[in-house]
Amino acid sequence: MSVIVFLGVLLGALIIGVPIAFGLLLATIFLMFYIDSYSATIVAQNLMKGAQSFPLIAVPFFILAGEIMNVGGIGKRLVDLGLAIFGHVKGGLGYVVIVASIIFAGLSGSALADAAALGAILLPMMVKGGYDKGQSMGLIASGSLIALLIPPSISLIMYGVIANVSITRLFMAGVFPGFLMAVGLAVTWFILVKRNKEIQVLPKKSTAEVFAAIKGSIWAIFLPVIIIVGLRGGIFTATEAASVAVFYALFVSLVIYREMKLSDIGKVLVNASKTTSVVIFMVAAAMAGAWVITIANVPQQLAELLGPINNQPLLLIAFVMLIVLLLGMIMDTGPIILIIVPVVLPMLVAAGVDPVYFGILLVLNGAIGLITPPVGSVLNVSLSVSKLTMGQLTKGIWPFILTYVLLLILLMLFPELITVPADWLMK
């Protein structure tokens, strides 16, 4: 009944147009009244606690790095590289999105920032080239989720801290599944564009033009290398990596590419602050919701439900993944990690499940929720960027959601796809 109260209020608020963060707060307050535990002080304390979460310190820096990339021409050069390689292929702009998403994942570390940046750069080009707007924005939004698995991933850091497992190993374990996400998107996109006869194909670039594009983007490509090598070698933490990303992006934009002026810094800071405030407020509201769900004994009820199957690892994981998929429709990945991990991880470990393997599944599943109606934060950022209606974007994004669900099932059935590459990269 607690879950029904929470979801009912949240969905009702969203239907009448209440912003997501305020809808979460309303649902939290109603559930607190239902369990007779309402306190304005406690709500405020949980909001502050959610906003002050240590892993979130990296978020403003990664968002700022993304803003600098947009203004400083870094993102544009990555797109130009993709166009030089894939522009002449049917549906080439979609493959550009996928390649750029992989590189952006190692630059910003934020799915929200990547969706906003790539949407602003590529969506107008795709619409002009005859691509379906809903499918195009759906691909961009789905591609941005790769940032949750390819390091530096804040979600993996949060999981590593709570689960007490090696964050470096989590990062290495996330690399190959991140590339599998890209492969899945490419296959899905190939199937979708094959039937679209309105798509314009760009002229093939000469070898000299391809090399020029590679030369022009080399500084942009080098940033993910710095971050991954620095994290792998223990040179800096994820938060320090975010600071490095800002400094590097600023240096390249001002000194190397010279497309950003000192007068642009104020605008960049304002835009980054606005985006950060939205993200942090949403996370804080979700944290408050996670707290009241815990107080209402929902996690304990889940643990009781899972008890009879705790000697069957695959069935246990499947049940947990189903719960996470449902939770992902109403809250972000961070709160899901905070709710699920302390409750189910001890049972999973006792059943012989590798906690690193489970962490990758959990984050990928939570990522799917970010593009799933009605609350998905990446979905709502994509709505803002594209000016589409929820129905239009949902129609365009569902094939990619299905692709990710199938990938999740594949990784559940074959843990070696996660553990073997992680072991190899850790050597």
Side-chain angles (χ1 to χ4, degrees):
M1 191 62 191
S2 297
V3 175
I4 295 174
V5 171
F6 187 86
L7 292 179
V9 174
L10 177 59
L11 293 175
L14 295 177
I15 289 173
I16 64 175
V18 176
I20 298 171
F22 290 102
L24 285 168
L25 283 177
L26 283 174
T28 298
I29 292 171
F30 268 82
L31 183 53
M32 291 179 75
F33 273 115
Y34 176 76
I35 62 176
D36 197 24
S37 298
Y38 176 73
S39 170
T41 302
I42 292 177
V43 173
Q45 287 174 343
N46 278 280
L47 281 173
M48 291 299 296
K49 184 179 179 181
Q52 294 173 353
S53 177
F54 178 76
L56 293 178
I57 297 175
V59 172
F61 291 103
F62 281 128
I63 290 176
L64 179 58
E67 290 287 343
I68 294 172
M69 285 190 295
N70 289 338
V71 176
I74 296 177
K76 179 177 178 296
R77 281 170 172 78
L78 293 175
V79 172
D80 289 343
L81 174 62
L83 288 173
I85 299 174
F86 297 105
H88 63 284
V89 179
K90 184 175 181 179
L93 286 177
Y95 303 117
V96 172
V97 168
I98 297 169
V99 172
S101 295
I102 296 173
I103 301 175
F104 270 56
L107 295 175
S108 70
S110 167
L112 291 170
D114 291 358
L118 290 175
I121 297 172
L122 283 168
L123 185 61
M125 298 173 61
M126 297 180 81
V127 173
K128 186 177 179 180
Y131 294 76
D132 179 88
K133 189 175 183 180
Q135 286 182 351
S136 299
M137 195 65 232
L139 176 64
I140 292 170
S142 303
S144 72
L145 302 185
I146 296 174
L148 273 73
L149 287 184
I150 291 182
S153 165
I154 296 172
S155 295
L156 289 179
I157 294 172
M158 185 179 295
Y159 174 83
V161 171
I162 297 173
N164 194 28
V165 297
S166 169
I167 292 176
T168 299
R169 181 171 175 79
L170 280 169
F171 280 164
M172 298 304 104
V175 172
F176 187 64
F179 281 104
L180 286 181
M181 292 172 71
V183 172
L185 292 179
V187 172
T188 305
W189 184 250
F190 174 81
I191 295 171
L192 291 174
V193 300
K194 191 175 182 180
R195 297 174 293 178
N196 191 336
K197 298 181 180 180
E198 298 180 3
I199 293 177
Q200 300 176 11
V201 179
L202 300 176
K204 185 175 182 179
K205 299 289 185 180
S206 65
T207 303
E209 289 175 317
V210 172
F211 276 106
I214 295 174
K215 181 180 179 181
S217 63
I218 195 68
W219 285 94
I221 296 173
F222 195 53
L223 179 54
V225 176
I226 293 175
I227 293 176
I228 293 176
V229 171
L231 290 170
R232 174 66 181 82
I235 300 172
F236 42 63
T237 65
T239 302
E240 292 166 345
S243 302
V244 170
V246 171
F247 176 80
Y248 185 90
L250 196 60
F251 175 77
V252 172
S253 299
L254 290 172
V255 179
I256 305 299
Y257 293 154
R258 298 182 181 179
E259 290 194 15
M260 182 177 177
K261 301 176 182 178
L262 290 175
S263 57
D264 294 325
I265 294 179
K267 181 181 178 181
V268 166
L269 290 173
V270 169
N271 290 338
S273 298
K274 289 180 178 178
T275 304
T276 299
S277 64
V278 172
V279 174
I280 298 299
F281 186 30
M282 288 180 60
V283 172
M287 290 287 284
W291 175 85
V292 73
I293 286 174
T294 303
I295 294 300
N297 292 323
V298 173
Q300 286 75 11
Q301 294 169 17
L302 294 178
E304 292 176 3
L305 288 173
L306 294 173
I309 59 172
N310 59 12
N311 61 343
Q312 303 179 53
L314 183 58
L315 188 58
L316 184 61
I317 291 175
F319 195 88
V320 173
M321 289 298 106
L322 178 60
I323 294 171
V324 172
L325 193 62
L326 296 174
L327 287 177
M329 297 180 182
I330 60 172
M331 60 178 61
D332 280 340
T333 307
I336 291 176
I337 293 172
L338 293 173
I339 294 171
I340 291 293
V341 174
V343 176
V344 305
L345 189 59
M347 289 185 293
L348 290 168
V349 173
V353 177
D354 184 346
V356 172
Y357 157 71
F358 174 69
I360 299 301
L361 293 180
L362 178 61
V363 172
L364 173 58
N365 202 346
I368 295 172
L370 296 179
I371 55 172
T372 304
V375 180
S377 55
V378 172
L379 185 73
N380 282 276
V381 167
S382 301
L383 288 172
S384 176
V385 171
S386 64
K387 309 301 180 185
L388 291 165
T389 66
M390 178 66 81
Q392 290 171 326
L393 184 53
T394 301
K395 182 180 178 181
I397 208 170
W398 77 262
F400 306 109
I401 294 176
L402 178 60
T403 298
Y404 282 160
V405 171
L406 293 175
L407 175 60
L408 178 65
I409 295 172
L410 180 68
L411 294 176
M412 286 171 54
L413 295 175
F414 301 99
E416 296 80 8
L417 292 173
I418 297 174
T419 57
V420 172
D423 292 337
W424 183 78
L425 289 171
M426 287 294 290
K427 291 180 181 179

